[in-house]
Amino acid sequence: SGLLSVAGEEQVKAVQGSIEASCLGAALLGPPPAVAQLCANVLITIYRRGARTTLYTTVGQLLSWLSNKVSPASAPAAKLATVHLLGGLCAAHGGAMVSLCLDSITLLTKLTRSAEPSVR
């Protein structure tokens, strides 16, 4: 996220789609928490420096991955990485997406109470 922090808005927008796809794809692989947090930080930076229009789509996609039984993020490590992404985006951009942030908090609360210890 270091280069993204100094890149111009148009430069960030030009690569934003591929960065989003890479970060979401990495989450589905179930990376270690440090890598998931790095992906979250990258997403936070591109939505801060680039276009915010896809922020809502991305958060909606993450919510659907966590709430659906049949999901590409069905493995516990992938769920945990998705939680990292969602939590980071809500912490950084929650004011810009109040209703989605509320949905996220509700879902994350349910997940922490779930029977799956790997997600807690």
Side-chain angles (χ1 to χ4, degrees):
S1 66
L3 288 175
L4 289 172
S5 297
V6 296
E9 183 179 337
E10 292 305 317
Q11 292 172 312
V12 173
K13 286 180 181 179
V15 296
Q16 188 165 346
S18 61
I19 292 173
E20 288 170 348
S22 296
C23 288
L24 294 176
L28 291 177
L29 296 174
V35 175
Q37 189 59 48
L38 175 65
C39 289
N41 290 339
V42 168
L43 288 174
I44 289 165
T45 302
I46 64 170
Y47 293 127
R48 185 174 292 137
R49 307 225 359 113
R52 267 198 172 161
T53 53
T54 55
L55 169 65
Y56 312 104
T57 305
T58 301
V59 170
Q61 185 174 16
L62 294 172
L63 284 169
S64 73
W65 286 356
L66 290 173
S67 61
N68 293 332
K69 295 284 185 202
V70 179
S71 164
S74 58
K79 279 187 180 182
L80 187 58
T82 303
V83 166
H84 273 279
L85 295 182
L86 188 58
L89 288 173
C90 285
H93 299 289
M97 50 177 203
V98 176
S99 65
L100 280 176
C101 192
L102 180 59
D103 293 344
S104 301
I105 292 168
T106 302
L107 180 61
L108 293 173
T109 302
K110 286 180 187 177
L111 283 175
T112 57
R113 293 180 182 168
S114 75
E116 285 185 66
S118 58
V119 178
R120 280 187 242 153

